[in-house]
Amino acid sequence: MKNKSILIRNANVLDYLPTEMDAQPAPRVELTDLRISGDKIVARGQNLEAIEGEEVRDINGRTIMPGLINGHHHLYSTLAPGMPAPKNTPRSFQDVLTEIWWKLDRCLDHKAVYKSAVAGAWDAMRCGTTMIFDHHSSLTCVSNSLDEIERGISEAGIRGCLCYEITDRGGLGSRDTTLDENRRYFTKDRSSNFRAIIGAHAGFTLEDRTLVRLQELTSELDCGIHIHLAEGTTDRDICIERGWEDPVSRLDKYGLLRPDTILAHCVDITDAEMALLDERGSWLVHNGRSNMNNSVGRAPVNKFPARSCFGTDGLDGNMWGELRSTFYRGNEAGEGELGLRKASEMWIGGYQMAREFFGEAFGSLDVGAPADFLICNEDQKTPLHSDNWLGMLLFAFHPWDILEVWCGGNKTYRRGDKAPFDGKLCRDAAQRIWDGMEKL
């Protein structure tokens, strides 16, 4: 539903950043009115006068906050839950890849890619997410696959920054196809709701000659890469075994550790390497629940640079769940690895990363900011104010508390809305994928 102008009265508004693009975090909660026109917030203040012809809603003190940001996702894994157990029980992270994910991505066709994207984006949006940094792979269905991801995210009504993971695991011809898909999508005319970055799988599946091609492509397009880095010890072990430098040094050698590079996981990182990542200014994305599920170890999040945030790595689209699980896991053994200060920094970091890639004031709900926000139900049990917002995210808010989600000034979801896809067709696609995996 599109609104030319809507006035929302009596909103308890939480936002994290002023609208100035380089502003420092300043979380605040304020009972106020918001006017949305087009895709922006155009007025904010108490007792705003209604404009003739605009819709007026009084939400009676319900909470409004910025839409959530997922810094690293794999929508192609949406149809994986429930799939048969692998024939060979994985004993290492490399086994997890070869026995599960590298079989799944070889069984995706364009229809399955689209269904995965629309269903996964819908799930994320119902959890309050309005932007996904997606990292895609469908090795036997590469060309134009990012268009299917974009179509699916668009039909869910939210935003995305997309890439295809370049890899050498399919040979030179397949590698070149992945390079071409990144170039094609990066240079195409896209909706303003989408951005592109160059994708790469991980250092241990990238030959030196491919890192040279990545260096050339990123220099030509003046952009960074979105890559898994040190997701457990496998990355380092295989690089050293093959006579290469460690994963961090290899990326730095080819000029790929840039401020516009996104590094997912960063579990097996030394203090010296962390200092280099901080110096280079790349973004680090923590995916705590995925790390636990894949038994790759605990990332040293307490040492992550300021330019860091959270992602889900394809596990699901629940960003509140990601934040709280990482926080709880850190507290399990005593003094938490992710204290309140770092949790706040990384949560707001997602909005700062979104600002850099999209050039808009995400994380703010002030005049000029994008109208991306969620509205909570009226049955919130405890009060939200400026000095307890993080505690509320950690212990109070859940996806079932969300009444509506808005993106770009459009109401994309209200609790009870019908999904924009046919569940039976998704189940049929999932079964087709699983049957294909059984044959590999």
Side-chain angles (χ1 to χ4, degrees):
M1 174 181 173
K2 292 191 174 183
N3 295 296
K4 291 184 178 179
S5 180
I6 180 170
L7 176 61
I8 300 177
R9 285 183 167 153
N10 293 315
N12 198 39
V13 176
L14 162 66
D15 59 359
Y16 309 109
L17 293 153
T19 52
E20 294 79 12
M21 294 298 288
D22 59 352
Q24 293 301 303
R28 60 174 175 165
V29 175
E30 178 185 37
L31 188 65
T32 189
D33 302 343
L34 298 176
R35 172 172 287 118
I36 296 108
S37 182
D39 62 352
K40 296 287 193 298
I41 295 168
V42 297
R44 172 172 172 155
Q46 294 183 345
N47 302 314
L48 293 178
E49 291 291 331
I51 297 172
E52 183 178 355
E54 78 177 347
E55 179 184 351
V56 179
R57 291 181 60 189
D58 190 326
I59 65 170
N60 194 31
R62 288 190 180 100
T63 293
I64 289 184
M65 67 181 76
L68 313 185
I69 310 294
N70 190 333
H72 178 71
H73 202 359
H74 295 295
L75 288 172
Y76 75 84
S77 69
T78 299
L79 302 182
M83 63 187 172
K87 297 174 185 176
N88 303 307
T89 301
R91 303 295 182 188
S92 67
F93 177 57
Q94 189 173 4
D95 288 346
V96 170
L97 293 175
T98 56
E99 294 297 323
I100 301 174
W101 302 116
W102 289 353
K103 289 185 177 181
L104 183 144
D105 79 356
R106 289 170 60 191
C107 294
L108 294 170
D109 56 24
H110 282 90
K111 291 182 179 179
V113 169
Y114 160 71
K115 289 180 174 63
S116 297
V118 66
W122 175 254
D123 285 348
M125 188 264 294
R126 290 190 298 157
C127 293
T129 296
T130 52
M131 183 185 297
I132 295 172
F133 286 78
D134 191 62
H135 193 271
H136 180 60
S137 179
S138 51
L139 199 60
T140 58
C141 170
V142 177
S143 298
N144 301 309
S145 60
L146 293 181
D147 291 348
E148 299 300 325
I149 298 289
E150 179 181 320
R151 181 162 71 100
I153 294 175
S154 294
E155 292 185 10
I158 60 176
R159 307 177 192 261
C161 180
L162 311 186
C163 68
Y164 189 98
E165 64 169 46
I166 294 165
T167 180
D168 280 299
R169 63 185 171 92
L172 275 179
S174 175
R175 180 210 66 178
D176 289 347
T177 304
T178 65
L179 282 161
D180 291 344
E181 177 63 4
N182 276 282
R183 177 193 291 278
R184 182 198 67 79
Y185 187 76
F186 192 96
T187 57
K188 69 170 277 190
D189 290 332
R190 296 183 304 274
S191 156
S192 61
N193 281 348
F194 288 87
R195 297 291 186 272
I197 187 172
I198 304 305
H201 174 245
F204 70 93
T205 69
L206 297 167
E207 303 282 348
D208 284 342
R209 63 194 177 195
T210 301
L211 291 178
V212 171
R213 294 290 301 275
L214 273 169
Q215 181 184 41
E216 293 170 348
L217 186 59
T218 56
S219 296
E220 174 192 343
L221 300 176
D222 190 22
C223 69
I225 63 171
H226 186 169
I227 187 172
H228 303 96
L229 175 63
E231 185 177 0
T233 59
T234 298
D235 203 354
R236 186 186 306 274
D237 290 346
I238 293 179
C239 284
I240 298 303
E241 180 182 298
R242 299 196 62 182
W244 297 334
E245 296 174 88
D246 64 83
V248 174
S249 296
R250 285 185 81 214
L251 294 182
D252 193 47
K253 175 181 177 181
Y254 292 98
L256 298 172
L257 295 181
R258 304 163 43 119
D260 51 359
T261 279
I262 300 172
L263 307 170
H265 297 287
C266 298
V267 173
D268 180 33
I269 297 289
T270 68
D271 288 350
E273 290 167 345
M274 196 70 79
L276 178 61
L277 298 179
D278 188 14
E279 180 182 340
R280 295 293 185 260
S282 299
W283 282 98
L284 277 63
V285 185
H286 179 58
N287 307 269
R289 292 177 300 158
S290 173
N291 293 344
M292 286 186 270
N293 183 55
N294 289 326
S295 302
V296 296
R298 294 171 68 172
V301 289
N302 58 315
K303 299 179 181 179
F304 273 24
R307 292 169 64 82
S308 56
C309 61
F310 295 103
T312 62
D313 195 41
L315 200 62
D316 61 24
N318 185 356
M319 291 305 300
W320 284 339
E322 191 67 37
L323 169 67
R324 59 171 43 101
S325 295
T326 296
F327 186 80
Y328 299 165
R329 175 66 168 141
N331 287 339
E332 184 179 34
E335 183 179 351
E337 291 183 350
L338 186 71
L340 291 172
R341 182 196 62 80
K342 193 63 180 176
S344 170
E345 180 181 88
M346 292 179 66
W347 185 255
I348 297 173
Y351 297 99
Q352 293 171 312
M353 186 170 81
R355 288 179 171 215
E356 292 189 9
F357 280 87
F358 280 76
E360 296 192 59
F362 295 100
S364 175
L365 292 177
D366 213 333
V367 176
D372 289 21
F373 56 87
L374 59 92
I375 304 177
C376 292
N377 292 321
E378 63 181 0
D379 54 359
Q380 181 178 315
K381 298 179 290 297
T382 53
L384 169 70
H385 41 78
S386 296
D387 60 0
N388 78 342
W389 68 270
L390 182 58
M392 293 291 283
L393 295 190
L394 287 168
F395 301 104
F397 290 118
H398 300 274
W400 55 81
D401 295 315
I402 297 171
L403 176 66
E404 293 178 1
V405 177
W406 291 63
C407 185
N410 298 321
K411 184 169 63 179
T412 60
Y413 171 72
R414 183 176 174 88
R415 178 175 290 277
D417 281 353
K418 188 179 186 300
F421 58 89
D422 185 319
K424 183 181 184 305
L425 293 180
C426 279
R427 294 191 294 274
D428 290 345
Q431 189 64 59
R432 188 172 70 252
I433 294 167
W434 301 350
D435 290 346
M437 292 172 67
E438 289 283 290
K439 298 173 183 177
L440 296 177

